[in-house]
Amino acid sequence: MRKIILTLAFLLITVLGFSQNKAKTKINEPTKLETEQWISENISSFAMKGKGHSYDLYFNDGILLIKHISVISIPSFTSTVKADYFIPIKEISKVRFETLDDAVLLKFVLKNNAKVKAKYETDNYFTYDDDFRIVLSNAFQNDDMINRMTKAFNNLIKFNGGTVVKNTY
């Protein structure tokens, strides 16, 4: 009888030990909401505001809504263009970054070569943009932000039921 009790106690301690280890690894992983907030805050803070770009990101029911304001200024003319971009998060196959001399471009690659749905303030209809990108400051290259943002978007895609296409090279 004593052997049975000791065996059951050992099994109980072993099971509880393993379950606590699993719980600890889950605690350190960011939640969907934390990931969304981190992405939004960093995109907003690294936007090329001095070059006339601002971005507000909103997440709702698996859709990434990007409100973009672009100020175009030439010597005798200034124009403000406002647009809303709608991106189904699970349809993103990957995010891609392109570094330029003075900026970093964030591009969304959608599955099946789909285009980003856009609505410009002056239009009453939707258009589909095949070259939408977010213009970020060159400082975005610091602190490994490109890899961190890629990882955050990959996690967000998975949180929304999508799959990430791995870059083999």
Side-chain angles (χ1 to χ4, degrees):
M1 181 71 168
R2 185 179 169 156
K3 268 187 167 178
I4 293 173
I5 291 174
L6 286 174
T7 303
L8 288 174
F10 177 75
L11 285 172
L12 182 63
I13 291 170
T14 304
V15 168
L16 289 176
F18 280 121
S19 66
Q20 285 180 352
N21 285 340
K22 267 188 167 178
K24 284 181 185 175
T25 58
K26 295 253 184 213
I27 289 172
N28 294 331
E29 295 176 11
T31 65
K32 179 180 175 185
L33 180 60
E34 290 170 334
T35 303
E36 291 171 345
Q37 290 171 340
W38 187 88
I39 289 171
S40 182
E41 289 167 4
N42 281 285
I43 295 290
S44 211
S45 68
F46 283 102
M48 289 283 285
K49 293 178 181 85
K51 300 273 183 173
H53 294 280
S54 71
Y55 303 92
D56 290 318
L57 280 68
Y58 302 94
F59 300 90
N60 188 17
D61 291 331
I63 301 292
L64 167 57
L65 167 61
I66 301 172
K67 291 188 166 286
H68 178 216
I69 299 174
S70 180
V71 178
I72 302 163
S73 186
I74 53 176
S76 62
F77 177 76
T78 299
S79 178
T80 301
V81 178
K82 295 180 182 179
D84 294 339
Y85 297 92
F86 303 87
I87 304 171
I89 297 167
K90 72 178 185 178
E91 295 302 316
I92 300 171
S93 63
K94 63 182 171 181
V95 292
R96 196 176 71 208
F97 292 91
E98 182 180 337
T99 56
L100 305 174
D101 289 338
D102 63 342
V104 175
L105 304 180
L106 164 58
K107 297 182 179 185
F108 297 94
V109 179
L110 302 182
K111 293 177 182 166
N112 301 319
N113 293 321
K115 296 179 181 181
V116 174
K117 185 176 179 181
K119 183 164 187 323
Y120 292 89
E121 182 181 57
T122 56
D123 299 334
N124 290 327
Y125 54 88
F126 289 99
T127 59
Y128 293 88
D129 195 340
D130 59 352
D131 194 33
F132 172 70
R133 61 192 175 270
I134 294 177
V135 183
L136 303 168
S137 75
N138 208 21
F140 191 78
Q141 295 181 64
N142 301 337
D143 297 323
D144 201 31
M145 283 302 292
I146 290 174
N147 288 326
R148 292 169 65 198
M149 186 63 72
T150 300
K151 183 178 177 183
F153 267 107
N154 288 348
N155 286 338
L156 188 62
I157 292 165
K158 292 174 191 171
F159 278 133
N160 284 279
T163 55
V164 178
V165 174
K166 298 287 183 187
N167 189 358
T168 55
Y169 296 102

